[in-house]
Amino acid sequence: MLTICKPLISVPGICLVRSITLLHVRPIARSFVQQKVMSQALSSKSMLEDQAFGGDLLNRSVGDRRDADFVKAAFDGSASLLITGRSVLAQQASGSNGSRQHTELCWLSPEEIAEYGITPQTDSQTSVTDQEGGALVPYLLGRTKQETWSFAIDASAYSKQEQLHDIAKQKGFVMQDLRSMVAHLSGTDLAVAGHAVALAGWHQANGFCGRCGAPTVPIEAGAKRCCTKDKKHRLYPRTDPVAIMLVESVDGSKVLLGRAKTIRHESMLTCLSGFVEQVETIEEACRREVMEEAGISVGPVHIAGSQPWPMGRGGTCELMIGCIAKATSDTLHMDQSEMDDVRWVSRDQLQTAVEDSQRTDTPYQGGSAKPTEGVDFWIPPPTAIAHHLIKSWADRQTSWFSKL
């Protein structure tokens, strides 16, 4: 509704009233309404459901990690996750009905950690030789609601890997790859395990200073690394931003999906995505990636949600920034050097694909099932933000954007 008030002063192009000022209202009205409607839609929790690896309940606000005495005291009464590479110590447990199996993380006390031949070093000063011998630095993850301090201990450099696995097996535990546990851990356990694996992976990849080449050591309970030659050289845990977008066609009846050559599942289609480059906005990254991979120009872009992804390309932790976008052209020009498939997909096909993704015999679950007749592809499982972007559009009865 637009209320017209009697002007106090008349100036060409501007109408001054008692409560509001309208500048060239008619040309911008539709754009403003569109932006407002989209903002309201995107601010609603119903736009995207909670994402896997989000929801870490540990309190990470730790102000005393610089105090070595505090770290030592905190570790003495702590619980720790044991990490090797991207694997975490875990165990199988029965579900509430006593039949279904699920996975739980194994938290170890300092005394239990010693049974694996590991000697935690809270002073952070350990050499490669020390680590091979089991002298490992605990990385502080946070504190539980019960006031228990939680740490991660990375045993990747430990020379007695076979002994470590044997002891775990004797106790009914197993070092299990994080990716294989995504669908079987609780949401809170998955978030903590993801944090631990991402932090450990960053430490593994940054043993030397990128400025002078000298060895680095973890400091402040694993929050940073410091160069041993120049203490001014500090390294901080890295997160790579990735724009992942679902692009709606000009007429709003289809969305753009594709499959990069790096994707191992030949029958999968997913949202286009790419790293956000330096001095580039998320919206600009979306437009650039879609043009590079599909030859489609993109107009409006809106951020719909995000998902941390600790198992990123190149071993880094990524932040997947989910976007919806509106195409301003429909003719595809696929980059054949990077993509195996790019196509427009209808809502009917996506609704079927979403239903198929809930099955337990899909390739993602280790099965060999075929998609439902009429659909020749799978979409990512519910553990990926791409699934939720696709599902949110498939569940709608109308397009995201007004027709251009």
Side-chain angles (χ1 to χ4, degrees):
M1 177 180 292
L2 186 63
T3 301
I4 304 299
C5 302
K6 185 177 180 180
L8 296 178
I9 303 174
S10 179
V11 179
I14 302 178
C15 179
L16 300 180
V17 297
R18 295 183 185 276
S19 57
I20 59 172
T21 301
L22 303 179
L23 300 179
H24 302 288
V25 173
R26 294 187 64 180
I28 69 169
R30 180 181 175 185
S31 175
F32 174 79
V33 170
Q34 277 187 238
Q35 294 286 340
K36 185 175 181 180
V37 169
M38 286 303 303
S39 297
Q40 289 174 343
L42 296 179
S43 64
S44 170
K45 288 183 67 64
S46 63
M47 179 63 190
L48 292 182
E49 298 176 9
D50 293 338
Q51 301 298 310
F53 294 110
D56 187 349
L57 297 182
L58 294 180
N59 181 1
R60 301 193 192 186
S61 301
V62 182
D64 299 324
R65 62 170 74 240
R66 297 183 182 88
D67 185 341
D69 292 335
F70 159 76
V71 175
K72 184 179 185 304
F75 183 77
D76 287 343
S78 69
S80 297
L81 282 179
L82 194 57
I83 309 290
T84 58
R86 287 187 174 183
S87 295
V88 185
L89 190 66
Q91 65 178 334
Q92 299 296 317
S94 297
S96 57
N97 60 8
S99 59
R100 185 179 179 182
Q101 295 289 311
H102 66 278
T103 304
E104 293 181 349
L105 299 179
C106 294
W107 292 93
L108 305 178
S109 68
E111 294 74 23
E112 290 171 322
I113 291 169
E115 296 177 10
Y116 289 82
I118 294 172
T119 306
Q121 302 294 309
T122 56
D123 62 2
S124 297
Q125 302 300 310
T126 58
S127 65
V128 173
T129 302
D130 293 334
Q131 295 173 38
E132 292 174 349
L136 305 173
V137 176
Y139 304 142
L140 182 56
L141 300 176
R143 182 169 52 183
T144 68
K145 291 182 178 179
Q146 292 74 34
E147 303 296 315
T148 300
W149 294 102
S150 301
F151 288 81
I153 296 182
D154 181 15
S156 300
Y158 188 31
S159 61
K160 300 179 180 179
Q161 290 290 317
E162 186 174 346
Q163 173 184 304
L164 186 151
H165 286 270
D166 287 343
I167 294 173
K169 186 176 181 179
Q170 292 170 13
K171 295 177 178 293
F173 305 152
V174 63
M175 296 301 301
Q176 189 167 347
D177 180 72
L178 178 61
R179 185 181 292 274
S180 70
M181 295 192 291
V182 171
H184 305 290
L185 283 173
S186 68
T188 52
D189 271 3
L190 185 61
V192 174
H195 180 197
V197 168
L199 184 59
W202 174 78
H203 279 285
Q204 294 164 18
N206 289 275
F208 297 91
C209 178
R211 299 173 67 180
C212 69
T216 63
V217 292
I219 61 173
E220 299 180 19
K224 307 171 187 175
R225 293 188 73 88
C226 181
C227 176
T228 54
K229 184 177 180 181
D230 188 338
K231 294 187 181 300
K232 293 180 180 179
H233 296 173
R234 300 288 180 93
L235 290 78
Y236 298 85
R238 166 180 169 175
T239 297
D240 294 335
V242 176
I244 179 167
M245 66 295 294
L246 189 64
V247 181
E248 186 178 74
S249 63
V250 174
D251 65 3
S253 67
K254 304 177 291 293
V255 290
L256 187 64
L257 299 182
R259 182 178 64 254
K261 291 184 179 295
T262 55
I263 293 178
R264 57 185 178 181
H265 296 295
E266 294 182 358
S267 57
M268 187 182 86
L269 289 179
T270 186
C271 302
L272 304 188
S273 65
F275 289 106
V276 180
E277 296 184 350
Q278 293 178 318
V279 198
E280 183 179 47
T281 68
I282 297 166
E283 294 84 353
E284 290 168 346
C286 285
R287 296 185 182 101
R288 174 181 54 77
E289 286 291 340
V290 175
M291 177 56 70
E292 289 177 355
E293 296 178 354
I296 295 293
S297 58
V298 167
V301 176
H302 296 276
I303 299 172
S306 62
Q307 178 186 30
W309 193 254
M311 307 169 293
R313 290 158 277 191
T316 62
C317 180
E318 298 173 356
L319 180 62
M320 309 298 293
I321 305 166
C323 303
I324 61 173
K326 184 69 172 181
T328 59
S329 64
D330 285 336
T331 303
L332 295 170
H333 299 283
M334 185 182 77
D335 180 0
Q336 297 184 3
S337 66
E338 184 175 353
M339 307 296 294
D340 274 337
D341 192 1
V342 173
R343 67 174 89 163
W344 292 107
V345 181
S346 70
R347 182 172 277 105
D348 288 343
Q349 288 179 304
L350 281 192
Q351 288 171 344
T352 300
V354 169
E355 292 178 5
D356 281 350
S357 69
Q358 309 296 327
R359 292 160 50 180
T360 58
D361 57 353
T362 71
Y364 299 107
Q365 302 289 345
S368 57
K370 300 294 183 182
T372 298
E373 186 176 354
V375 177
D376 63 347
F377 61 90
W378 299 97
I379 63 169
T383 51
I385 192 172
H387 173 95
H388 296 278
L389 286 168
I390 292 169
K391 183 177 184 297
S392 66
W393 188 85
D395 288 346
R396 293 175 61 87
Q397 298 302 316
T398 60
S399 65
W400 269 329
F401 299 84
S402 297
K403 295 181 181 179
L404 298 180

